[in-house]
Structure formats: C-alpha cells, structure tokens
Amino acid sequence: MATLVSLGLISIAGLLCIPALTLLVEVIAAQRPPREMPLVQTGGKRRVAVIVPAHNESSGIIPTIGDILPQLGQNDRLIVVADNCSDDTAEVAEQAGARVIVRKNLERIGKGYALGWAIDHIKDDPPDFVVFVDADCRVQSDAIVRLSEVCDNLQRPVQACFLMHSPENSPINHGLAEFAFLLRNWVRPLGLKNLNLPVQLMGTGMIFPWDLIRSVPLASGHLGEDLKLGLDLAELSRAPYFYPAVKVTSEFPVTAKGTDSQRQRWVQGHMGMILKSVPRLLFRSIARRNLDLLALTLDLLIPPLSLLGLLVTGIFVATSIAAFFGLSAASLWVASVNIVLFAAAVLLAWGKFGRDVLPGRLFLSIGPLIFRRIRLYGGMLLGRTASHWVRTDRGDR
C-alpha cells in the first residue's frame, strides 16, 4: 500500500512538472522585447467584416460600436449578432450604426453558435477578412487596419493582445486577477512569439482570412470555444500569430457575483479542454510532427494561475506529510522542484511586467483570495457548473 501511495504521489508531482516548467520557459522567453515582422504592401483594398456577438449587452455595447465604426472603409461591415437577447440589444446596436442580425434558438446556446450564425449570414457576399470582437471591449483606434495588414501578409489568424483592467472605483480589488490575466494574455504569448511559436486565441480581437474561417466548425456551446478554435487551426497548420502592437481591453465585473461567475466559466472551459483534448492533441502533434500544435497543447496544460498555485502547493504539502511518515522522499523532491519552477515564473513575470498592476503590498491580501478560489474550485468539483453563455454581471452598468 505504501508503495502504491508513493508511486501515485510521484506520478502526480511529475505531471505537474509539465505545466510548471512550460510556464517558466514562456516567462523567460518573454523577458526580451518582441521583434515585429516587416510588412509587405500587397496592394488593393481588402474588405473586412467585424462581427460582434452580443447577449443582453445593450448597456455596454455602444462604446464598442463607437470604437469600431470610424475604422471601417466604405466596403467594410460591422455586424452585431443579438443572440437570444431578452433586452433591447438589437435596437440599441442598430441605432448606434451597426448592422444587426437577431438569433433566437434556446436549444443551441453559446457564443460559438452566434459566430457560426454570422459566418453563415455573410457567406453569399464574403469579405476578405473577418474580425471577432466581444461586445464589452474597447478597441484601439487603428486596430482593424493593422490587424488586416498583418493577416494579409501571413494569411493565417492573427490575435491582438487582449487585457482586462479593474474598473474605476471598483469595490473589489482585482490586482491579483489583473496580474494573472496579464501573465496569461501578454507575458506567455509574448514568450511564445519570441520562440517563433503560435499562441492561443483569446476570444476577442482576432482576425481570420475568409477562406480559413469559413472552413472550420464554429457552432458549438463549448465554454472554451476560443481555445478549441485555435487548436483546430493549429491542426490545419494555420495556427494563430500574436500581434501585441494592437490591444483590445475590457473590465472586470464590479460585483463579487459577476467576478465568480466570469472566472468559473473561464476555468470550466479551460479545464474541459485539458481533460477532453490533451491526449489526442499530444498524439497527433507528435505523429504529424506538428510543432505548432505541440507548443499550443503544452501551453494548454497550464491551468489558471491560482489553480496551478494551489495544485503545486497542495502536492508539496501531501508529499511532505508522506515523507514525514516514512514514505519515499522522491515525490517530495519532485514537488519541491515544482514549487521552485512556479515561484520563479511568477516572480520573473511580476518583476518585469506586473509591478504596476500588482504592487508588492497587495501580496498581503492573497489569503482571502486563496479562500475564495478554494471555495470556487471546490464547488466545481461538487458539480456546480457554469451556464454555456450568460452576460457577465457588471452591477448597474
């Protein structure tokens, strides 16, 4: 029995080495500035369709439309998909100047269904490129033209840098969450870019050539539809390219309910992708010698920062107790390596990129956050799952 317990602990600690080491490699690679590719003028005006999926977003969609419309040319389009809305999103978006298509299907709920509906809607008059932007995002003033230029040069998907910020006068301190998001959507993609590797899609601020986006399945209720799409494209040898010179931003919710709901959807979608897809993706990437797919699969194995921290700490505590009672100390050594890898990655990322969003004094508030995360992840283990697509509770915005 003792041997089985020791082997089990060694196996778990060894598996955790993969995401911890991958995280550290990405953070180290991000320490140098990115090199942007020189753009070649291809000539000719490319037609762009910007698609904004919206579910009950009437109170926040106007700034998004206001950011996008001035960037569009005469032959470009902004299409808002008012998906299963119970508010006046469609009317508000139309009055703001967007084309609106209304989708009603309570049996097929999910952002992926909204995107697939929009692609089907424009297939008879297709653009050259399709841009996806979430309805609660602010878009850099030259984002559309710059993304179009890069996508035209590469003929592959291009992902802008998508960041979340704390709203002004928020009653919730989002410093730790903002740092974790910065690490996920800026630092790690920057490291992959510097290694000449692709990145995961982030769900917003992403552009695709028409011939590519029309050929992949979008219509699904999967909570991790962006991760799934990026991996599907990597299997086709058209993995996403990271373009950090363009930024798209959004804000965290201002209520505890909205914060927990948003995080639960993110974590549930990510962990669902890990559990369902990683063995198959690893096998295919190795069998086909697809380095891009292998890199994205290893990157997918990195769970949300707080969850990874809890896992490496938990296995360290468990192996310490086991060693104290006379079981093999090998698992403790592996668990100790995991702690070092994780701590080094976090400290390097914070020292280079995170000081502004997470002042050192805020590390003192990590205790209540850990308790909230344990409660959240514990609830997920007990079967409390997130809805497929609900509007994030943002208080009275």
Side-chain angles (χ1 to χ4, degrees), residues 193-231:
K193 177 183 175 66
N194 286 340
L195 293 170
N196 294 317
L197 295 171
V199 298
Q200 308 286 358
L201 289 175
M202 302 174 189
T204 186
M206 47 191 188
I207 185 171
F208 306 84
W210 169 256
D211 67 335
L212 181 61
I213 197 61
R214 70 176 179 177
S215 67
V216 293
L218 290 174
S220 77
H222 200 290
L223 285 175
E225 77 284 329
D226 49 346
L227 292 173
K228 181 180 183 303
L229 178 57
L231 290 161

Side-chain angles (χ1 to χ4, degrees), residues 105-349:
N105 189 332
L106 296 179
E107 295 181 355
R108 294 164 69 87
I109 299 175
K111 179 179 171 183
Y113 289 121
L115 299 180
W117 175 271
I119 294 298
D120 188 64
H121 177 79
I122 63 176
K123 68 181 181 182
D124 293 332
D125 182 22
D128 297 297
F129 304 108
V130 176
V131 180
F132 293 140
V133 176
D134 282 351
D136 59 352
C137 289
R138 303 306 307 269
V139 183
Q140 184 176 308
S141 61
D142 59 351
I144 305 302
V145 65
R146 297 185 71 176
L147 288 173
S148 300
E149 288 174 350
V150 178
C151 192
D152 196 17
N153 272 252
L154 295 176
Q155 289 299 308
R156 59 187 276 199
V158 178
Q159 173 65 62
C161 180
F162 170 48
L163 296 176
M164 297 281 290
H165 299 304
S166 299
E168 292 185 12
N169 304 316
S170 172
I172 300 175
N173 189 331
H174 291 287
L176 288 166
E178 192 169 346
F179 170 69
F181 209 89
L182 182 78
L183 177 58
R184 178 182 181 271
N185 279 18
W186 170 254
V187 181
R188 287 169 50 194
L190 189 60
L192 289 169
K193 177 183 175 66
N194 286 340
L195 293 170
N196 294 317
L197 295 171
V199 298
Q200 308 286 358
L201 289 175
M202 302 174 189
T204 186
M206 47 191 188
I207 185 171
F208 306 84
W210 169 256
D211 67 335
L212 181 61
I213 197 61
R214 70 176 179 177
S215 67
V216 293
L218 290 174
S220 77
H222 200 290
L223 285 175
E225 77 284 329
D226 49 346
L227 292 173
K228 181 180 183 303
L229 178 57
L231 290 161
D232 288 344
L233 293 170
E235 289 194 67
L236 298 174
S237 299
R238 303 283 288 277
Y241 175 84
F242 185 50
Y243 190 56
V246 169
K247 292 183 175 58
V248 175
T249 61
S250 186
E251 291 185 344
F252 288 107
V254 296
T255 66
K257 176 184 176 182
T259 300
D260 289 345
S261 173
Q262 185 182 68
R263 175 157 292 276
Q264 183 171 354
R265 292 196 304 275
W266 288 343
V267 173
Q268 190 175 313
H270 192 155
M271 296 308 296
M273 283 296 298
I274 291 177
L275 295 175
K276 295 178 181 178
S277 303
V278 163
R280 173 181 62 84
L281 293 172
L282 282 175
F283 175 79
R284 288 191 178 181
S285 63
I286 294 171
R288 299 177 182 179
R289 300 181 182 179
N290 188 332
L291 179 59
D292 285 351
L293 181 59
L294 178 60
L296 288 186
T297 304
L298 292 175
D299 180 75
L300 177 68
L301 278 170
I302 304 174
L305 186 65
S306 58
L307 179 55
L308 180 57
L310 288 172
L311 289 173
V312 297
T313 302
I315 195 64
F316 177 78
V317 171
T319 54
S320 297
I321 293 172
F324 178 80
F325 283 102
L327 274 67
S328 171
S331 59
L332 176 58
W333 283 104
V334 179
S336 300
V337 170
N338 291 341
I339 287 282
V340 172
L341 294 174
F342 177 77
V346 170
L347 289 174
L348 279 173

Side-chain angles (χ1 to χ4, degrees), residues 55-71:
H55 175 67
N56 291 344
E57 290 286 356
S58 64
S59 61
I61 197 172
I62 291 180
T64 305
I65 294 174
D67 286 345
I68 295 170
L69 279 178
Q71 303 186 43

